[in-house]
Amino acid sequence: MKYTVNVWEDSVKATHTFLNEQEIEHIKEYIPMALKNVEHLMVVDNDDAVGFMGIENHKLEMLFIASNQRGKGLGKALLQYGMKNYGVCELTVNEQNPQAIGFYEVMGFKTYKKTELDEEENSYPLLYMKLDR
């Protein structure tokens, strides 16, 4: 579990530039519970965790890749696995994370809804995306 929290933190610092250090530390407190409670958790490792994905009811709940592993196809392989084996067809992404949005669009997802606040009522706009079949 420790390694996946480390991957989460590393990935967030590389991609969620809209969060400050204090916000990251606050959110980090909830990550072990989120990892424990997600229906399906897949972790990729090679002596150390390098990426993970969580799926709940055909929805991608989390996908984080260590910053030194980004751009190597790991995220694509995980998402394709989730789509094929767990029927992933929906996800939510921070609007302030354009790299992730672009990735999901390339993977076939389209935005169908936007909110100005995240699930915790913080002012981080979210995009809700569905697989465009």
Side-chain angles (χ1 to χ4, degrees):
M1 184 78 69
K2 176 183 174 228
Y3 297 120
T4 47
V5 173
N6 291 345
V7 168
W8 174 87
E9 183 175 16
D10 176 64
S11 179
V12 165
K13 286 180 177 180
T15 60
H16 292 61
T17 56
F18 55 93
L19 295 173
N20 65 39
E21 189 67 34
Q22 183 180 3
E23 291 167 314
I24 292 171
E25 287 301 315
H26 175 73
I27 297 167
K28 184 178 171 181
E29 295 174 18
Y30 301 98
I31 299 307
M33 184 186 309
L35 293 169
K36 181 180 176 191
N37 291 329
V38 72
E39 185 178 15
H40 303 286
L41 179 67
M42 281 128 263
V43 179
V44 177
D45 65 63
N46 55 8
D47 299 328
D48 212 353
V50 294
F52 66 91
M53 169 179 66
I55 300 168
E56 187 93 29
N57 296 323
H58 309 292
K59 183 177 180 190
L60 180 69
E61 292 291 337
M62 57 187 83
L63 175 60
F64 293 94
I65 307 298
S67 61
N68 66 351
Q69 298 297 313
R70 292 181 67 224
K72 297 181 179 181
L74 182 57
K76 180 179 180 179
L78 277 169
L79 185 53
Q80 286 176 330
Y81 181 84
M83 292 162 63
K84 179 180 178 185
N85 296 289
Y86 294 91
V88 169
C89 58
E90 281 190 68
L91 59 90
T92 304
V93 63
N94 290 96
E95 184 181 42
Q96 296 157 298
N97 188 349
Q99 292 177 15
I101 295 166
F103 167 74
Y104 293 130
E105 287 174 344
V106 166
M107 296 298 293
F109 289 82
K110 302 286 183 220
T111 300
Y112 70 91
K113 177 178 148 183
K114 176 185 172 183
T115 60
E116 293 303 320
L117 303 175
D118 67 11
E119 289 96 353
E120 287 78 36
E121 302 298 316
N122 296 312
S123 56
Y124 303 121
L126 296 177
L127 299 180
Y128 293 78
M129 303 179 86
K130 284 187 178 180
L131 194 56
D132 189 27
R133 298 186 190 262

